[in-house]
């Protein structure tokens, strides 16, 4: 069974992919959340060994749809808390990770803020440099402290 942190990481991949496609979030997910798509990626990425069950797929779809719908708002928060960084300098994977975490924090009250931040940091460790991981953690921490007051 695909666990929530795996589903979250898949959502980050899809949110990242949205940066490069003209497809809608739903069209992209309809294409990617299939057994054949997962089978094609499973050899290269352990993350795709199992196709998500219905509950996990709903969670992924909710996250990716939310990130797509609230992208400008989420990017605004990233830019606001990225002290000394131009948004264009932030790696796209890092942006996708932060968008997913911020969406969870703002719009998914069933997800504890600490869990969203910790999971984002763990995902970032797989894809980013230690400096970028610290950057992500700092932005998400500042965001949570200031925006949830």
């Amino acid at each position: 069974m695909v666990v929530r942190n795996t589903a979250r990481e898949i959502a980050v991949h899809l949110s990242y992919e949205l940066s490069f496609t003209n497809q809608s979030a739903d069209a992209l997910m309809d294409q990617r959340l299939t057994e054949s798509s997962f089978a094609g990626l499973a050899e290269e990425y352990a993350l795709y060994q199992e196709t998500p069950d219905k509950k996990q797929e709903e969670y992924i779809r909710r996250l990716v749809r939310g990130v797509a719908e609230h992208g400008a708002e989420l990017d605004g928060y990233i830019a606001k808390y990225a002290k000394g960084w131009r948004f264009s300098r932030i790696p796209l994977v890092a942006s996708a990770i932060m968008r997913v975490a911020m969406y969870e924090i703002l719009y998914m009250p069933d997800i504890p803020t600490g869990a969203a931040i910790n999971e984002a940091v763990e995902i970032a460790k797989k894809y980013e440099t230690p400096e970028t991981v610290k950057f992500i953690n700092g932005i998400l921490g500042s965001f949570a402290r200031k925006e949830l007051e």
Side-chain angles (χ1 to χ4, degrees):
M1 184 185 90
V2 174
V3 291
R4 184 170 270 183
N5 57 349
T6 301
R8 187 179 278 115
E9 190 171 347
I10 292 166
V12 166
H13 281 213
L14 292 169
S15 296
Y16 170 77
E17 196 171 341
L18 280 175
S19 306
F20 301 103
T21 182
N22 292 328
Q23 289 182 296
S24 69
D26 284 317
L28 177 66
M29 289 185 288
D30 289 346
Q31 185 181 11
R32 295 285 185 251
L33 294 175
T34 64
E35 284 188 32
S36 62
S37 178
F38 271 65
L41 292 167
E43 234 175 82
E44 200 173 335
Y45 302 101
L47 183 64
Y48 294 96
Q49 294 292 324
E50 285 183 56
T51 308
D53 64 21
K54 187 172 172 29
K55 184 177 177 185
Q56 295 308 99
E57 184 176 332
E58 286 170 9
Y59 177 72
I60 293 166
R61 284 180 178 277
R62 185 174 167 200
L63 274 177
V64 176
R65 216 177 270 128
V67 166
E69 289 169 6
H70 295 272
E73 174 194 10
L74 301 171
D75 288 352
Y77 285 123
I78 293 169
K80 178 178 176 180
Y81 293 104
K83 304 279 187 241
W85 283 61
R86 285 188 326 282
F87 190 84
S88 60
R89 271 191 60 213
I90 299 170
L92 289 174
V93 172
S95 296
I97 291 167
M98 290 186 284
R99 286 179 190 127
V100 167
M102 288 176 169
Y103 181 79
E104 285 182 313
I105 291 165
L106 289 171
Y107 296 103
M108 297 175 79
D110 52 315
I111 309 290
T113 297
I117 293 171
N118 290 339
E119 287 294 328
V121 168
E122 289 306 310
I123 291 169
K125 287 177 183 176
K126 293 181 178 183
Y127 301 99
E128 294 292 350
T129 65
E131 295 76 26
T132 304
V133 172
K134 283 185 205 160
F135 173 74
I136 289 169
N137 191 33
I139 287 180
L140 293 176
S142 296
F143 165 77
R145 280 189 301 280
K146 299 275 192 310
E147 300 301 326
L148 300 178
E149 288 176 346

